[in-house]
Amino acid sequence: MSAERVWGRLMEEANEQPLQLKTKTGLNFNLISDDEFLIVKNSELAPSTKLKMQRKIQKENFIKVYPYFERKKSNEFGLSKEILKITVNSVYIFDAIEYALHPD
């Protein structure tokens, strides 16, 4: 599935109701949409992320990070620095992509 389609699916689903997602380390977070951004917020479910303020994910950054998803999933070494140059929200982006591609 293309980055554009995944973005669109997440925007649509997160606009209808908050998506309850988990980080790789098991922390819960909510993903919502405001029709412009995907927004990461702390979850009511424990254990939750402890964000001091919500994080906005821009479509441009999502599209740039998307090609790294499979490489990161296969534990390719040395990607973190490259990805960090794009966004500090890659953890949430990768978890959202995982949800969109493999919903349970």
Side-chain angles (χ1 to χ4, degrees), residues 33-85:
S33 164
D34 70 357
D35 293 324
E36 184 178 356
F37 300 101
L38 287 172
I39 301 168
V40 178
K41 299 175 82 173
N42 291 325
S43 175
E44 302 79 34
L45 300 176
S48 174
T49 54
K50 295 187 180 359
L51 299 170
K52 292 181 181 171
M53 44 197 271
Q54 64 188 19
R55 299 207 183 170
K56 291 185 176 182
I57 298 172
Q58 299 174 333
K59 181 179 182 180
E60 176 184 348
N61 289 348
F62 184 92
I63 301 296
K64 287 180 181 177
V65 168
Y66 187 85
Y68 289 94
F69 175 72
E70 289 298 332
R71 294 170 62 191
K72 183 74 171 169
K73 197 171 174 179
S74 67
N75 296 319
E76 185 176 322
F77 183 75
L79 291 180
S80 296
K81 288 182 182 179
E82 279 183 57
I83 297 167
L84 194 55
K85 291 178 185 177

Side-chain angles (χ1 to χ4, degrees), residues 3 5 10-11 15-16 21 34 36 51 56 63-64 66 74 84 87 89 92-93 96-98:
R5 288 186 63 201
L10 289 167
M11 288 293 285
N15 195 15
E16 293 172 9
L21 303 178
D34 70 357
E36 184 178 356
L51 299 170
K56 291 185 176 182
I63 301 296
K64 287 180 181 177
Y66 187 85
S74 67
L84 194 55
T87 182
N89 295 319
Y92 305 109
I93 293 172
I97 293 169
E98 179 68 35

Side-chain angles (χ1 to χ4, degrees), residues 1 6-7 9-10 13 62 95-103:
M1 192 179 303
V6 171
W7 173 264
R9 177 178 176 187
L10 289 167
E13 286 189 38
F62 184 92
D95 293 325
I97 293 169
E98 179 68 35
Y99 164 81
L101 296 179
H102 307 106

Side-chain angles (χ1 to χ4, degrees), residues 13-21 29-33 44:
E13 286 189 38
N15 195 15
E16 293 172 9
Q17 64 182 7
L19 299 177
Q20 285 285 343
L21 303 178
F29 66 95
N30 288 335
L31 190 67
I32 63 171
S33 164
E44 302 79 34

